[in-house]
Amino acid sequence: MRKPIIFGNWKMNKTNAQAQSFFDGVDAFATDKADFGVAVPFTALHTSVNAAKNIHVAAENVHWAPNGAYTGEVSVEMLKEIGVKWVVLGHSERRQYFNETDEEVNKKAAVVIEAGMTPIICVGETLFEFEAGKTESVVRKQVAGTLAGLAPEAVSNLVIAYEPVWAIGTGKSATIEIAQDTCALVRDEVRNIFGDDVASKVRVQYGGSVKPDNIAEYMSQEDIDGALIGGASLEVDSFKAIIDAIK
């Protein structure tokens, strides 16, 4: 059995005071039925790590270099020093707005794994690609590109989040059938590269307008092991409702 994994993604939201308030309201309600976590902005990481006792804390990005002339970037060691153990990589907004490539995400994943941290690697197609019937080719290419050269054991322990770009922040969500089929496709591509054992262990999330009233249905699917949640992770009550929905 793969343990469910539910992460919120705050994006560019919440000050340190707001992060503290969130954990004060939510942390005690997290159970061991799933790995519950939130990805928070760099500025709120230290506060969040110190406040979280039952909820995991992830960074929303990292640079692949250990140091250097990369103004505005943050290294793995900087994250590790303050106790961060998870990092979201290749989010659709990073790909869309900052032109991140599979190769860049792959380099980041390698250094995160080397540091003993866990990457949550995002893949997903745009609305144009979805409507053109290119979902499978796009997602398989992203999975293969971002995992290239990684050790099978490392892939077994990381997380892949299928996030269709057309469902991020739009209020639209993929049907249960689309989400399941594409998460199964993600797992199948892992199987093609790394074999059955790795494919059976890697956890695959669905992300895209997941809310308290629909998460249970997504989680009931064979190949959906969790969710990467945007707006619904910002409020104490909605995140508590999501925790309650995981049986």
Side-chain angles (χ1 to χ4, degrees):
M1 291 287 292
R2 296 181 295 271
K3 188 175 185 179
I5 179 164
I6 311 296
F7 263 72
N9 179 23
W10 288 354
K11 308 185 182 185
M12 196 174 70
N13 292 288
K14 292 196 183 297
T15 62
N16 277 280
Q18 290 168 335
Q20 183 68 56
S21 178
F22 175 89
F23 285 102
D24 288 346
V26 172
D27 190 74
F29 291 89
T31 71
D32 62 0
K33 293 178 181 177
D35 284 325
F36 292 102
V38 287
V40 313
F42 289 138
T43 53
L45 280 170
H46 193 264
T47 293
S48 298
V49 168
N50 289 336
K53 301 296 184 277
N54 302 304
I55 293 177
H56 300 292
V57 175
E60 296 179 8
N61 188 32
V62 74
H63 198 276
W64 61 80
N67 51 61
Y70 301 103
T71 301
E73 295 292 334
V74 170
S75 73
V76 166
E77 287 304 316
M78 293 173 182
L79 298 180
K80 193 173 181 179
E81 182 185 43
I82 59 173
V84 175
K85 297 179 180 179
W86 301 73
V87 186
V88 174
L89 300 175
H91 189 276
S92 60
E93 290 161 354
R94 297 292 312 173
R95 293 174 183 266
Q96 185 176 10
Y97 303 141
F98 302 102
N99 301 313
E100 282 195 359
T101 65
D102 294 336
E103 292 74 20
E104 289 172 327
V105 176
N106 176 248
K107 289 195 290 185
K108 293 177 181 184
V111 299
V112 168
I113 291 167
E114 185 178 2
M117 301 157 73
T118 304
I120 298 174
I121 299 175
C122 302
V123 298
E125 80 282 22
T126 65
L127 179 61
F128 173 81
E129 290 163 339
F130 173 71
E131 291 180 340
K134 295 182 178 180
T135 295
E136 178 169 357
S137 61
V138 169
V139 171
R140 284 190 184 276
K141 178 178 179 295
Q142 289 177 340
V143 171
T146 55
L147 301 183
L150 300 182
E153 182 179 356
V155 176
S156 294
N157 293 314
L158 58 73
V159 181
I160 303 174
Y162 165 56
E163 285 203 315
V165 178
W166 48 271
I168 308 299
T170 63
K172 298 179 181 179
S173 54
T175 64
I176 301 301
E177 292 76 18
I178 290 173
Q180 160 58 24
D181 288 350
T182 312
C183 287
L185 186 155
V186 168
R187 196 178 306 283
D188 186 61
E189 187 61 22
V190 172
R191 181 179 295 107
N192 288 343
I193 303 169
F194 298 98
D196 289 336
D197 184 59
V198 174
S200 70
K201 293 176 180 176
V202 67
R203 290 187 287 180
V204 182
Q205 297 175 305
Y206 168 69
S209 299
V210 177
K211 303 176 179 66
D213 60 358
N214 64 17
I215 188 169
E217 193 171 7
Y218 284 114
M219 292 295 296
S220 70
Q221 303 302 301
E222 180 179 358
D223 288 291
I224 300 178
D225 304 312
L228 188 59
I229 301 161
S233 71
L234 292 172
E235 302 298 330
V236 167
D237 288 345
S238 59
F239 202 73
K240 284 168 63 176
I242 285 169
I243 291 173
D244 288 342
I246 304 302
K247 307 299 183 184

